[in-house]
DNA sequence: CACTTCACTTAGGAAATAGCTG
DNA sequence: CAGCTATTTCCTAAGTGAAGTG
């Protein structure tokens, strides 16, 4: 076990244990992170058996897709899809069509943004190339610095001081962050001041020696006023800005890849500013420098119209590498890493990869029992390495931990994953709360989000754990190599995908009941989603206005409640008038009876909806559903669920999400099994 | 093989926008 | 219709893991 000085204490008080209210109103003492027993449970009997029904329900078609979906060139075809396909597509062979389209593709693609191209019905490249044709307009650079108006002053040691634009710009970055807590942090200030000084003239450098004596308040107030002014702009002016943005988007926000016009994810270059890492980042406050054309590498196809650098400038390089997916790259100055401009998740190139990811996870489903048996076997191994490997794998599987690659010390915040856990992150209890062999995890993971969990483990793991000393340099790559041998394409993160998706499927099966109405079904969906988010430890800071908004909701709830009471009184009255109506056979009174009845129903429904909403929101206080929905849950599970229960898919996925998962929405039937 | 570099996915928070309510 | 809240989109940091390098 690696040792490291410093304890976890520094972040402990920041993340106090929370009491979580369950739906039935009970207040449960919880750490907020432990997986609910429904998700995964010991003893292992449950755990090591995939649900019985899975195999029997498995359909031939799914198997076809499974076996077809390899990084090979594959025609994803079956009778269903052929039927869907348009006749002319069936007639003309793909290749000819492609070639032709590449030649005249530009005009065609620009004019008619093609009625929903179904890339998932087409062949894929098998030669490792990502595209044959790529054309784009290059990146949009950050607007140049506009010096402050002369009345906005900067003071040093109480005296006005005019800064050269170079130094002034960096000062404005700081001024804009003045309200943030981190401008008071030592490291932030130290890093900022050091980098700021680099932008100063010799004279400025000698004068400005102490950050504490710098007064940025005028600058700060100026920017606040600016943003107020922007908010208060006339509708017309706002519309103009919107139109300009749209123009820019149309021009730079799309590329042509092969014969299709595809949306680019991030066509704007990151503007300069002060780096703010997450958590305790040693580089916080450093100056992120402005990116110029000569920093930019452009990637496009030879036979495309190359993007033009701004007048009087040159690109660093133009290359034609169709083995990669990026259009533009540059090297960032904080970590020295490479940044890329790539396509939107709705694009073919991202979608195919995403689909493939879920197919790999489904492959794992087929052999996970075998793998679990094996690593349990490996706990007994005489070789320490094998035992360690098996223990790490167990936690990656059981707790959906990230792999935990090593990182360069001092370059980033001190965070860990499974393979980089150190002694101070784990506590072992031979007995805890009446349970035998409990392991307590407490560490900061990705984005410095705390992972806290207490889990009972099997005896052998615990013994193995005593030599749970992952000293092996490159433990992750050792582990991944082993996984690769167990299954083609298997890596540590596949377990996260697999466990997330299978959990959603199980939970949906378990939580959805046919009698429930639509809002209740959606609550069930969200709860299934939530189980996954908890498993994956996807947290969020409780929204700043959470308490208030919760109160508002309660208020509305009581409002409607009283309204219901009133209405039920009215209903009673109605009953008598109903009888009356019958006798009189009066159309008018009959109608009032009907409308009143409807009003009661509507209110009931409203109440129900609000109640469900309140529950959902409360349960979601510090849990983020988005990340798992977007990155871990096979969308076909959700689509199938929607189809099965006749729920409009829009209730589950918003527009962007529907675009990203178009492939799944198109192909999954109500009986899809992950 | 050990180390670095590169490409790409995953992540939470901020900003912008949509939608609602009084 | 302003003002607020909820939702969506943007932003870019922070991971994973394979490929490249010497």
């Amino acid at each position: 076990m690696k040792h490291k000085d410093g304890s976890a204490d520094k972040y402990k008080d920041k993340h106090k244990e929370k009491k979580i209210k369950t739906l039935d109103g009970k207040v449960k003492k919880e750490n907020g992170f432990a997986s609910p027993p429904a998700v995964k449970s010991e003893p292992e009997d449950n755990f090591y058996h995939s649900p019985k029904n899975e195999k029997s329900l498995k359909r031939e078609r799914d198997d076809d897709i499974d076996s077809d979906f390899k990084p090979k060139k594959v025609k994803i075809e079956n009778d269903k899809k052929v039927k869907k396909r348009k006749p002319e597509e069936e007639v003309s062979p793909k290749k000819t069509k492609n070639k032709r389209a590449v030649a005249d593709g530009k005009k065609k693609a620009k004019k008619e943004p093609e009625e929903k191209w179904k890339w998932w019905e087409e062949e894929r490249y098998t030669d490792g190339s990502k595209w044959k044709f790529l054309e784009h307009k290059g990146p949009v650079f950050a607007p140049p610095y506009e010096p402050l108006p002369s009345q906005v002053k900067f003071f040093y040691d109480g005296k006005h001081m005019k800064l050269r634009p170079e130094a002034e710009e960096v000062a404005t970055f700081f001024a804009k962050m003045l309200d943030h807590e981190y401008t008071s942090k030592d490291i932030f200030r130290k890093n900022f001041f050091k980098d700021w000084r680099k932008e100063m003239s010799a004279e400025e450098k000698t004068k400005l020696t102490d950050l504490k004596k710098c007064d940025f308040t005028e600058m700060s107030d100026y920017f606040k006023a600016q943003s107020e002014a922007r908010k208060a702009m006339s509708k017309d002016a706002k519309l103009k800005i919107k139109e300009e943005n749209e123009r820019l988007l149309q021009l730079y926000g799309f590329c042509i890849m092969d014969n299709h016009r595809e949306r680019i994810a991030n066509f704007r270059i990151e503007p300069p500013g002060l780096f703010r890492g997450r958590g305790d980042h040693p580089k916080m406050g450093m100056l992120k420098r402005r990116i110029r054309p000569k920093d930019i590498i452009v990637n496009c196809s030879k036979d495309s119209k190359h993007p033009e650098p701004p007048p009087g400038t040159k690109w660093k390089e133009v290359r034609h590498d169709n083995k990669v997916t990026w259009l533009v790259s540059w090297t960032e100055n904080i970590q020295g890493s490479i940044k890329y401009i790539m396509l939107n998740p709705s694009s073919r190139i991202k979608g195919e990869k995403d689909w493939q990811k879920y197919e790999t996870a489904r492959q794992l489903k087929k052999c996970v029992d075998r793998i679990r048996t094996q690593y349990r076997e490996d706990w007994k191994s005489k070789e320490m390495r094998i035992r360690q490997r098996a223990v790490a794998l167990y936690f990656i599987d059981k707790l959906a931990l990230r792999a935990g690659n090593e990182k360069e010390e001092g370059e980033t915040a001190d965070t860990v994953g499974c393979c980089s856990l150190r002694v101070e992150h784990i506590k072992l209890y031979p007995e805890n709360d009446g349970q035998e062999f409990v392991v307590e995890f407490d560490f900061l993971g990705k984005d410095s989000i705390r992972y806290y969990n207490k889990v009972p483990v099997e005896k052998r793991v615990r013994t193995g754990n005593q030599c749970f000393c992952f000293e092996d340099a490159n433990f992750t790559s050792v582990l991944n190599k082993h996984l690769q041998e167990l299954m083609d394409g298997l890596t540590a993160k596949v377990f996260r995908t697999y466990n997330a998706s299978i959990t959603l499927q199980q939970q949906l099966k378990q939580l959805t009941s046919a009698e429930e109405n639509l809002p209740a079904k959606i609550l069930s969906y969200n709860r299934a989603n939530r189980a996954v988010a908890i498993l994956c430890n996807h947290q969020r800071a409780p929204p700043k206005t959470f308490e208030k908004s919760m109160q508002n909701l309660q208020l509305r709830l009581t409002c409607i409640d009283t309204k219901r009471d009133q209405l039920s009184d009215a209903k009673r009255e109605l009953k008598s008038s109903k009888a009356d109506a019958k006798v009189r056979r009066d159309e008018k009174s009959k109608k009032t009876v009907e409308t009143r009845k409807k009003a009661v129903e509507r209110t009931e429904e409203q109440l129900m909806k609000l109640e469900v909403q309140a529950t959902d929101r409360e349960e979601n206080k510090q849990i983020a559903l988005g990340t798992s929905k977007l990155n871990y849950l096979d969308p076909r599970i959700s689509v199938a669920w929607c189809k099965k229960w006749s729920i409009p898919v829009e209730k589950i996925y918003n527009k962007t999400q529907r675009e990203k998962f178009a492939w799944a929405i198109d192909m999954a039937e109500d009986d899809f099994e992950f």
Side-chain angles (χ1 to χ4, degrees):
Chain A
M1 173 82 68
K2 285 183 196 163
H3 285 258
K4 207 179 173 184
D5 287 333
S7 72
D9 283 342
K10 48 184 170 211
Y11 54 85
K12 265 198 180 135
D13 42 353
K14 248 198 294 193
H15 308 264
K16 297 227 173 76
E17 291 201 349
K18 295 268 156 60
K19 288 187 176 184
I20 289 187
K21 214 175 175 185
T22 56
L23 178 64
D24 45 9
K26 277 185 286 180
V27 175
K28 217 165 74 186
K29 179 144 193 302
E30 265 235 29
N31 56 46
F33 309 112
S35 325
V39 178
K40 281 202 166 192
S41 57
E42 300 270 333
E44 57 277 20
D45 276 21
N46 276 333
F47 180 12
Y48 293 100
H49 279 246
S50 18
K52 308 263 166 356
N53 43 10
E54 274 162 21
K55 240 164 225 159
S56 53
L57 285 181
K58 193 127 197 162
R59 296 161 62 248
E60 223 180 293
R61 186 178 138 254
D62 293 339
D63 285 329
D64 283 354
I65 291 179
D66 286 356
S67 49
D68 272 354
F69 207 102
K70 294 237 174 78
K72 278 188 217 147
K73 187 158 194 170
V74 150
K75 235 182 189 170
I76 301 132
E77 261 189 17
N78 55 49
D79 23 10
K80 232 168 224 162
K81 285 191 180 130
V82 173
K83 262 181 238 157
K84 269 188 221 160
R85 205 166 272 167
K86 279 176 211 126
E88 72 270 16
E89 276 181 294
E90 276 181 294
V91 175
S92 66
K94 292 272 144 42
K95 275 205 180 136
T96 6
K97 193 194 163 197
N98 270 4
K99 269 180 201 157
R100 186 168 36 84
V102 169
D104 63 8
K106 274 181 269 176
K107 273 182 224 152
K108 192 195 157 197
K110 266 182 197 164
K111 258 192 195 153
E112 24 180 301
E114 72 216 31
E115 50 317 316
K116 307 281 153 112
W117 170 41
K118 297 188 178 182
W119 52 258
W120 50 93
E121 292 180 354
E122 292 192 17
E123 293 178 15
R124 298 160 42 183
Y125 293 118
T126 52
D127 56 357
S129 62
K130 304 291 170 69
W131 45 264
K132 294 289 178 229
F133 180 82
L134 172 61
E135 180 171 289
H136 59 91
K137 295 282 190 200
V140 172
F141 289 93
Y145 178 63
E146 277 184 47
L148 294 169
S150 53
Q151 76 273 12
V152 182
K153 290 174 185 143
F154 166 74
F155 299 93
Y156 184 74
D157 207 8
K159 288 187 285 286
H160 170 223
M161 189 172 164
K162 179 74 191 163
L163 299 169
R164 286 161 64 244
E166 290 84 346
E168 187 189 80
E169 179 178 16
V170 181
T172 65
F173 297 153
F174 193 85
K176 282 176 184 166
M177 296 175 141
L178 226 48
D179 289 337
H180 261 107
E181 190 216 348
Y182 43 74
T183 51
S184 64
K185 290 192 176 175
D186 259 12
I187 304 173
F188 189 95
R189 296 173 67 89
K190 199 183 114 266
N191 287 334
F192 162 71
F193 199 57
K194 188 175 162 209
D195 280 3
W196 187 24
R197 286 177 61 80
K198 289 181 197 158
E199 305 301 315
M200 293 176 189
S201 65
E203 197 198 340
E204 286 163 340
K205 237 183 247 179
T206 43
K207 276 191 184 168
L208 302 173
T209 54
D210 185 0
L211 181 55
K212 282 203 289 288
K213 292 180 179 167
C214 294
D215 180 357
F216 301 95
T217 48
E218 277 200 14
M219 289 186 191
S220 173
D221 291 345
Y222 171 71
F223 293 124
K224 277 180 204 158
Q226 291 248 299
S227 84
E228 284 309 307
R230 223 171 306 129
K231 269 185 224 157
M233 268 186 323
S234 72
K235 266 204 177 131
D236 216 42
K238 276 182 183 166
L239 191 72
K240 259 199 178 143
I241 292 175
K242 206 177 167 185
E243 275 166 2
E244 172 60 14
N245 278 335
E246 180 61 25
R247 193 187 65 83
L248 228 58
L249 173 70
Q250 289 305 324
L251 195 54
Y252 294 98
F254 293 84
C255 72
I256 294 174
M257 185 171 277
D258 293 342
N259 40 345
H260 299 275
R261 185 168 183 258
E262 301 236 61
R263 181 86 190 265
I264 296 167
N266 55 323
F267 59 91
R268 286 171 207 272
I269 299 269
E270 297 171 18
L274 301 184
F275 176 81
R276 168 59 191 167
R278 318 240 166 101
D280 249 332
H281 197 115
K283 299 195 173 183
M284 65 169 83
M286 282 176 59
L287 174 65
K288 202 168 97 164
R289 62 156 235 283
R290 180 178 292 273
I291 304 302
R292 303 141 302 175
K294 64 173 179 175
D295 302 314
I296 296 292
I297 302 174
V298 163
N299 193 31
C300 61
S301 52
K302 239 178 224 159
D303 59 345
S304 73
K305 191 170 167 295
H306 298 12
E308 289 293 332
T313 66
K314 276 187 175 161
W315 302 125
K316 180 180 183 182
E317 185 190 334
V318 176
R319 67 171 76 158
H320 311 291
D321 181 358
N322 77 344
K323 299 283 185 275
V324 297
T325 67
W326 53 269
L327 320 185
V328 164
S329 77
W330 72 92
T331 301
E332 151 272 348
N333 68 303
I334 303 288
Q335 319 277 354
S337 66
I338 308 167
K339 301 261 185 164
Y340 302 94
I341 290 183
M342 290 182 190
L343 296 195
N344 202 62
S346 62
S347 62
R348 181 214 103 219
I349 213 158
K350 293 289 181 187
E352 274 181 357
K353 203 73 186 301
D354 206 37
W355 181 14
Q356 185 177 48
K357 172 181 77 185
Y358 292 113
E359 288 309 318
T360 306
R362 293 174 83 201
Q363 286 297 126
L364 174 56
K365 180 188 174 182
K366 290 182 186 164
C367 59
V368 73
D369 287 349
R370 189 192 89 217
I371 290 171
R372 285 171 175 165
T373 310
Q374 167 154 177
Y375 68 60
R376 297 178 76 221
E377 212 39 53
D378 287 348
W379 292 340
K380 302 175 201 160
S381 169
K382 282 181 285 290
E383 266 188 82
M384 160 95 96
R385 284 186 151 217
I386 295 190
R387 286 202 308 273
Q388 284 178 8
R389 202 178 65 191
V391 169
L393 187 49
Y394 170 68
F395 286 130
I396 283 171
D397 182 21
K398 182 182 171 64
L399 304 175
L401 300 185
R402 293 189 188 85
N405 283 314
E406 37 268 281
K407 343 199 286 175
E408 221 175 318
E409 216 181 307
E411 295 292 299
T412 60
D414 179 20
T415 62
V416 296
C418 185
C419 296
S420 46
L421 283 166
R422 304 189 298 263
V423 253
E424 68 258 34
H425 301 127
I426 307 166
K427 263 191 210 153
L428 306 167
Y429 300 97
E431 191 267 311
N432 184 287
D433 286 337
Q435 282 174 307
E436 273 191 315
F437 310 119
V438 171
V439 183
E440 182 185 55
F441 292 85
D442 194 349
F443 61 89
L444 296 184
K446 183 176 179 181
D447 292 318
S448 293
I449 297 291
R450 187 191 183 196
Y451 184 92
Y452 180 84
N453 204 356
K454 250 185 202 174
V455 280
V457 296
E458 295 164 54
K459 261 182 237 173
R460 279 217 179 71
V461 175
R462 208 203 68 102
T463 13
N465 219 334
Q466 288 171 332
C467 43
F468 190 41
C469 37
F470 304 151
E471 247 147 32
D472 210 333
N474 250 318
F475 192 48
T476 28
S477 75
V478 170
L479 180 68
N480 277 330
K481 247 167 235 151
H482 170 65
L483 292 175
Q484 190 57 240
E485 283 162 17
L486 295 180
M487 186 195 108
D488 196 36
L490 188 62
T491 63
K493 87 186 184 88
V494 177
F495 281 89
R496 242 166 110 80
T497 312
Y498 162 74
N499 279 310
S501 287
I502 201 75
T503 299
L504 178 77
Q505 189 168 83
Q506 279 167 191
Q507 290 287 297
L508 283 177
K509 217 168 264 176
Q510 205 175 100
L511 297 173
T512 318
S513 62
E515 311 84 69
E516 285 177 329
N517 61 12
L518 189 108
K521 282 210 181 75
I522 287 166
L523 176 64
S524 296
Y525 180 89
N526 285 342
R527 283 180 164 168
N529 192 163
R530 198 138 49 231
V532 176
I534 290 167
L535 175 71
C536 295
N537 199 39
H538 292 142
Q539 295 184 261
R540 61 168 186 173
K544 291 214 163 63
T545 53
F546 186 84
E547 290 310 326
K548 208 178 96 193
S549 104
M550 216 54 212
Q551 272 173 9
N552 276 335
L553 209 55
Q554 283 304 329
L555 205 69
R556 277 163 63 197
L557 214 57
T558 40
C559 261
I560 293 184
D561 214 16
T562 50
K563 194 167 145 200
R564 181 181 58 169
D565 287 346
Q566 285 165 7
L567 274 169
S568 60
D569 285 347
K571 215 159 99 186
R572 226 169 294 123
E573 274 172 45
L574 269 176
K575 272 201 179 144
S576 49
S577 58
K578 219 180 190 171
D580 206 31
K582 248 185 198 163
V583 176
R584 295 207 328 232
R585 303 221 164 253
D586 178 351
E587 277 304 308
K588 217 177 183 180
S589 54
K590 218 172 173 179
K591 240 180 202 162
T592 45
V593 172
E594 278 310 303
T595 51
R596 291 255 174 105
K597 207 168 155 191
K598 282 221 173 96
V600 175
E601 275 165 23
R602 247 204 320 274
T603 316
E604 291 279 359
E605 210 171 280
Q606 247 180 339
L607 191 67
M608 186 60 175
K609 220 172 137 183
L610 226 52
E611 261 167 359
V612 163
Q613 205 183 59
T615 313
D616 205 22
R617 197 182 298 178
E618 183 65 46
E619 288 178 0
N620 231 21
K621 187 171 176 176
Q622 30 184 182
I623 297 166
L625 301 187
T627 305
S628 49
K629 200 182 219 177
L630 237 50
N631 300 299
Y632 288 102
L633 302 176
D634 188 330
R636 291 167 296 183
I637 299 169
S638 300
V639 172
W641 181 84
C642 284
K643 290 197 171 151
K644 179 169 179 189
W645 301 105
S646 316
I647 287 159
V649 77
E650 296 77 28
K651 300 276 177 195
I652 298 300
Y653 291 135
N654 69 31
K655 189 167 147 280
T656 321
Q657 294 168 158
R658 291 198 299 276
E659 278 165 14
K660 170 168 179 173
F661 297 134
W663 59 274
I665 294 170
D666 184 56
M667 72 169 73
E669 303 294 339
D670 64 348
D671 57 353
F672 172 83
E673 283 274 323
F674 176 76

